[in-house]
Amino acid sequence: MLLQIIPASPTKRNGTHALQITYPKSFLKLLLIGFALAMLPLLFAFGNAALYLDRLATQSSDAVTQAVQATRASRALVEQIAFMERSARQYFVLEDELLLENYEKAHEKFVDSWHDLDQLPMTSKQRLALSKLSAEEQALFQNVAQHSTESSSIEEIVGRFADLTVQAQDILDENNRQIDRESAILAETAERTQQIMLWQTLTLIPVALLVALMITFLVAQPIRRMDAAIRKLGEGDYSEPISIDGPGDLRNLGERLDWLRAQLNELDQQKQRFLRNVSHELKTPLTAIREGSELLSDEVGGPLTPQQREIAGILRESSLRLQKMIENLLSFTAAQFHAPQLNLETVDLTGLAEAILADYSLTISNKNINIQRDFFPTLIQADREKIHSVLDNLISNAVKYTSPSSSIRISITHQAHQAIIEVHDGGPGVMASDKAKLFEPFYRGDSAHESLVSGSGLGLSIAKEYVDAHGGEIILLPSERGARFRVTLPLKALTK
């Protein structure tokens, strides 16, 4: 068997018996088998219909042929009897031998017609009447041939012709009635054949559809598994091995996809190790840069000129941004290997937002940005470090993208057991093509701000990870100008 379904051994996963499908070696062969199986009921219906129609056509042809022959022979009997009667009457009057020869010729034609009619299928009643007619006609022929005025009366002989005519006419009428009966039987057979073909069609079409659905399922099942495997690869899920149960060529393709999954998994692990190692390596020299910039800003090495103080401020802001990027990398790599663990404590969102704004006070002052605060005292049970990272990413992006002399609106409120944080900047906003991938790691849209130290594209991704860990939600709201983010957090996060 090229295609069969057999019971498999009990599975370890659920302890139940599964069905194992044995596929052919080629996907093309599976399609051909499916097409053949789907067409088989229809071909059977067509063949059976052709057989019935051929049988009906044969019966019709035979019936028409027999009817024509029977009618023709019966009419010939009646006609020859009439001709023999006329010839006999003339012969008795004129006693001309030529008239007797005409009678004998008519007799021979009568005998030929009788033989033709006798060869046709007929009832026993018809055959008995036909035999009686032949016998009486033969006796009459003998009387006419041996006729003499002394032996028999002319009127008696002529009267016997009238009796033969009545018998021949009865045979003709019986043949006509037999033809009518055959026609009725033929019509009934045609109607019965039509009903049989209709019921066959109504029965076999669902069977063909059922076979087609079964083959469609067998064809679509490995394709759906392959589609699901490719989707997982596209989403970065390399944990589950890929196994495609189908025709041989699709199984080979599934093995190649599993090889690709293993390669991508190895590359992803190498990437994570690289990011983790690089982040740790960069953190040590960055600490020295931060301490040096802080010492310069505090004028530990001596008083600074206004220009030197501005340069020291730039160093301090750049080191802060670089530190934030490295912390994002470390947070991202940690989130990839372990689910975020929450250390819950009471967090004052308004105080936390003010502290973060103070960290960016120099940049805010240099760009002359107006901070519009709409703060309502809000306390939540959350992980302070992670919520700090969420707010820091949103506020730093807002400060980064907001145009000089523009404004940033920050709102913190709570309602219905939820805290709501909104950050609306005065920048160019988010392009429509970037919205779908805005929270994906390492994604930087076309509208990304160019600066001396470019962003890593991890801020919003990490913010979403931390918000999701608290059971909250972060979304981008529609806005006529600038980007408007909303963070919804439960007032009390549930630990998992």
Side-chain angles (χ1 to χ4, degrees), residues 193-210:
T193 301
Q194 183 180 11
Q195 292 177 353
I196 292 174
M197 292 173 58
L198 178 61
W199 282 111
Q200 279 186 351
T201 303
L202 294 178
T203 303
L204 291 176
I205 285 180
V207 173
L209 292 177
L210 182 62

Side-chain angles (χ1 to χ4, degrees), residues 75-298:
R75 290 186 181 276
L77 291 178
V78 175
E79 292 173 357
Q80 295 308 318
I81 291 173
F83 188 76
M84 285 188 295
E85 180 183 3
R86 187 168 58 252
S87 298
R89 283 179 181 272
Q90 293 174 355
Y91 171 69
F92 289 145
V93 174
L94 301 177
E95 295 186 359
D96 187 352
E97 294 296 330
L98 181 61
L99 295 174
L100 184 60
E101 291 179 2
N102 291 339
Y103 177 83
E104 292 175 351
K105 291 179 180 179
H107 168 73
E108 293 175 356
K109 291 182 179 179
F110 175 87
V111 173
D112 292 338
S113 299
W114 181 88
H115 282 295
D116 291 340
L117 193 59
D118 187 60
Q119 298 298 323
L120 299 176
M122 60 181 64
T123 63
S124 58
K125 181 181 178 181
Q126 288 176 302
R127 196 168 297 281
L128 182 61
L130 187 61
S131 299
K132 180 181 178 183
L133 176 65
S134 175
E136 291 185 3
E137 190 277 334
Q138 185 67 27
L140 183 59
F141 173 74
Q142 296 293 334
N143 290 335
V144 173
Q146 299 174 0
H147 170 68
S148 65
T149 55
E150 292 84 5
S151 62
S152 178
S153 163
I154 296 176
E155 292 300 329
E156 182 184 356
I157 295 175
V158 172
R160 292 173 65 184
F161 276 110
D163 185 55
L164 290 178
T165 302
V166 172
Q167 292 185 40
Q169 188 63 44
D170 290 341
I171 291 174
L172 176 61
D173 293 340
E174 183 63 26
N175 285 336
N176 291 335
R177 287 191 292 271
Q178 181 65 23
I179 290 172
D180 292 338
R181 288 192 295 270
E182 292 290 339
S183 299
I185 294 174
L186 189 62
E188 183 181 353
T189 303
E191 183 178 359
R192 187 168 60 252
T193 301
Q194 183 180 11
Q195 292 177 353
I196 292 174
M197 292 173 58
L198 178 61
W199 282 111
Q200 279 186 351
T201 303
L202 294 178
T203 303
L204 291 176
I205 285 180
V207 173
L209 292 177
L210 182 62
V211 173
L213 290 176
M214 182 183 68
I215 296 300
T216 302
F217 170 77
L218 294 176
V219 171
Q221 188 179 24
I223 295 179
R224 284 198 301 266
R225 290 177 180 174
M226 190 173 299
D227 179 71
I230 294 175
R231 286 179 180 273
K232 286 186 177 181
L233 291 180
E235 295 171 357
D237 184 3
Y238 312 125
S239 59
E240 185 176 351
I242 299 175
S243 177
I244 305 298
D245 183 17
D249 44 8
L250 289 185
R251 286 199 301 269
N252 294 335
L253 186 57
E255 293 174 358
R256 297 188 178 217
L257 283 176
D258 189 63
W259 173 83
L260 178 62
R261 176 200 63 82
Q263 297 297 317
L264 291 175
N265 187 33
E266 178 63 24
L267 289 175
D268 187 68
Q269 292 179 359
Q270 290 180 4
K271 181 190 71 174
Q272 302 299 336
R273 288 193 295 270
F274 172 77
L275 292 176
R276 185 169 61 250
N277 295 335
V278 168
S279 300
H280 281 289
E281 292 295 329
L282 291 177
K283 202 168 184 180
T284 300
L286 178 62
T287 302
I289 296 175
R290 281 290 314 279
E291 291 177 354
S293 62
E294 292 292 343
L295 292 175
L296 286 176
S297 298
D298 294 340

Side-chain angles (χ1 to χ4, degrees), residues 270-492:
Q270 290 180 4
K271 181 190 71 174
Q272 302 299 336
R273 288 193 295 270
F274 172 77
L275 292 176
R276 185 169 61 250
N277 295 335
V278 168
S279 300
H280 281 289
E281 292 295 329
L282 291 177
K283 202 168 184 180
T284 300
L286 178 62
T287 302
I289 296 175
R290 281 290 314 279
E291 291 177 354
S293 62
E294 292 292 343
L295 292 175
L296 286 176
S297 298
D298 294 340
E299 298 183 354
V300 174
L304 302 176
T305 63
Q307 185 177 9
Q308 290 173 338
R309 190 175 294 107
E310 182 179 357
I311 294 173
I314 293 174
L315 289 174
R316 178 178 179 275
E317 291 296 326
S318 297
S319 62
L320 284 174
R321 290 182 58 192
L322 186 57
Q323 181 182 5
K324 176 176 172 50
M325 291 174 61
I326 293 175
E327 289 175 352
N328 284 340
L329 286 174
L330 290 173
S331 300
F332 174 75
T333 54
Q336 295 300 303
F337 286 98
H338 305 285
Q341 300 295 323
L342 303 181
N343 298 318
L344 298 182
E345 59 180 297
T346 301
V347 179
D348 181 7
L349 291 181
T350 58
L352 191 61
E354 290 289 1
I356 294 172
L357 287 172
D359 292 337
Y360 296 98
S361 60
L362 182 59
T363 304
I364 294 173
S365 176
N366 291 336
K367 297 180 68 173
N368 194 24
I369 296 175
N370 178 31
I371 303 297
Q372 298 178 4
R373 296 171 173 83
D374 186 9
F375 291 170
F376 186 85
T378 303
L379 300 178
I380 65 172
Q381 291 292 317
D383 189 310
R384 176 182 296 274
E385 181 181 352
K386 291 178 174 55
I387 298 301
H388 181 280
S389 179
V390 172
L391 288 176
D392 185 53
N393 276 298
L394 293 178
I395 293 175
S396 65
N397 283 342
V399 173
K400 176 180 178 180
Y401 293 118
T402 298
S403 304
S405 302
S406 296
S407 62
I408 297 175
R409 181 178 177 272
I410 304 176
S411 170
I412 299 177
T413 59
H414 66 84
Q415 60 182 11
H417 308 290
Q418 287 184 329
I420 302 174
I421 305 170
E422 288 191 11
V423 179
H424 189 184
D425 62 48
V430 180
M431 297 180 64
S433 58
D434 297 335
K435 292 180 180 179
K437 300 182 178 180
L438 191 62
F439 296 99
E440 292 185 4
F442 300 104
Y443 181 77
R444 301 175 67 246
D446 296 336
S447 60
H449 179 75
E450 296 294 337
S451 63
L452 292 177
V453 181
S454 300
S456 62
L458 292 174
L460 292 177
S461 174
I462 295 172
K464 179 174 175 55
E465 288 278 349
Y466 290 165
V467 171
D468 291 343
H470 284 79
E473 182 185 35
I474 178 171
I475 58 174
L476 175 68
L477 298 176
S479 175
E480 295 181 358
R481 174 177 173 79
R484 182 184 177 189
F485 290 91
R486 171 182 289 176
V487 177
T488 303
L489 294 169
L491 295 180
K492 185 175 182 181

